[in-house]
Amino acid sequence: LRTSVGLIDRILKELRSLNYQVKVNISEKPNVSRPLSINFKLLPHQKVAYELWCKKKRGTIAIFTRGGKSFIAMKAIYDLRKPTIILVTTRELASTWKHYLSKYLGINEYEIGYLGEGKRNIKPITIGIYNSCVKYIDLIKEKFELLICDESHHVPANTFKEVVIKMDSLYRMALSATPKRRDGNEELLFSLCGPLIINLDYKELLALRIVAPIEIFETKFVSGEEEKLKELIKILRKHQNEKTIIFTQYVKTATNLFNSLLREGFKTALITGSTPSAKRKRAFEEFLKGRVKIIVTTTVLDEGVTVPDAEVAVIY
């Protein structure tokens, strides 16, 4: 019988329930030879999540946005020293991961592999976009021992299954802001990456003083892009003396929005995954001094970046 390594826990449990004696004989891949450094410390809630994951080195970690899930994964990369692939949903998230690996684990960016946007650069530590990994699964399925699935709740079941079933990685970590999938198929995630081991929502992070309280929360429903832009401009006029961050999902949306706001006379900066670090730093400085009132960004600022003094957030 041949089956996915991802299902090993479920299969072992089933065989033992049928009174089989099971001998597990899996040869691990050699350690990564490149030395790593660690430039961060886990917060208490991250440490609890990591220790729970370490019991089997498999599991799903659900922590609300800005709870620092990436640092738990980087701790695993540092401690295990095994060939690792990090699966992400977008190129912006891939860029963020590359920045994190360089800043917090001391890996030069040219040493990090990338599978996406037509690039097939496979190295002991590699970042891959899910759709590209499906396309090139035969190139990667036997090369990595640690599989990290970021934003796992966003991935369509068929795409997720095509990659994660075929990967032979023994150690697995799924990262999610919420364990619930849009298709209701979170059981697939738990079966292939490990059960849900921690689930911290916004209120729990608020109690831990990890995130800021939201004083006003409202959702606007509009029809069409033109009305959406008009509604946003109304909000920005209303809060024109306050510093605002606008989050978008795609670079194209962010760029179009940035240009529209400039034409409307707003002091605006644009930050995406391709924004050079020096330009990004300068934009933050201008924002802090009040010379720039609005930052338009993509998922690159979803977590791990501290922007003081932001009083308004818009998810566009």
Side-chain angles (χ1 to χ4, degrees), residues 162-210:
E162 278 297 305
V163 181
V164 183
I165 280 184
K166 292 179 181 177
M167 295 294 294
D168 76 348
S169 309
L170 180 60
Y171 305 129
R172 295 169 179 234
M173 180 185 291
L175 305 175
S176 173
T178 168
K180 294 289 183 183
R181 288 177 58 97
R182 284 172 291 186
D183 56 13
N185 203 2
E186 56 269 13
E187 193 59 39
L188 179 71
L189 174 64
F190 302 153
S191 296
L192 291 170
C193 292
L196 182 65
I197 55 177
I198 193 167
N199 186 10
L200 296 179
D201 62 14
Y202 167 75
K203 287 182 179 178
E204 289 166 304
L205 291 186
L206 185 60
L208 292 169
R209 303 177 69 85
I210 305 294

Side-chain angles (χ1 to χ4, degrees), residues 32-39 74 76-82 101 104-107 111 125:
V32 173
S33 58
R34 192 216 181 280
L36 302 175
S37 59
I38 189 164
N39 303 312
M74 286 190 288
I77 294 170
Y78 178 79
D79 285 350
L80 289 181
R81 308 292 172 108
K82 293 294 181 185
L101 294 172
Y104 296 112
L105 292 182
I107 307 171
E111 296 178 288
I125 307 289

Side-chain angles (χ1 to χ4, degrees), residues 280-315:
R280 184 186 303 191
K281 184 179 178 183
R282 189 164 62 251
F284 282 141
E285 288 173 354
E286 297 287 290
F287 187 69
L288 290 170
K289 292 173 183 175
R291 293 174 189 155
V292 165
K293 288 290 187 183
I294 299 166
I295 290 179
V296 178
T297 187
T298 54
T299 51
V300 73
L301 295 191
D302 264 4
E303 64 170 25
V305 178
T306 302
V307 186
D309 282 357
E311 292 134 334
V312 180
V314 180
I315 299 172

Side-chain angles (χ1 to χ4, degrees), residues 20 43 49 56 66 77-79 130 142 155 211-212 220 268 274 284 294 303:
Y20 281 95
L43 296 172
K56 286 194 172 181
R66 288 204 64 80
I77 294 170
Y78 178 79
D79 285 350
Y130 283 96
E142 297 176 355
V155 187
V211 296
K220 301 279 188 179
T268 310
S274 60
F284 282 141
I294 299 166
E303 64 170 25

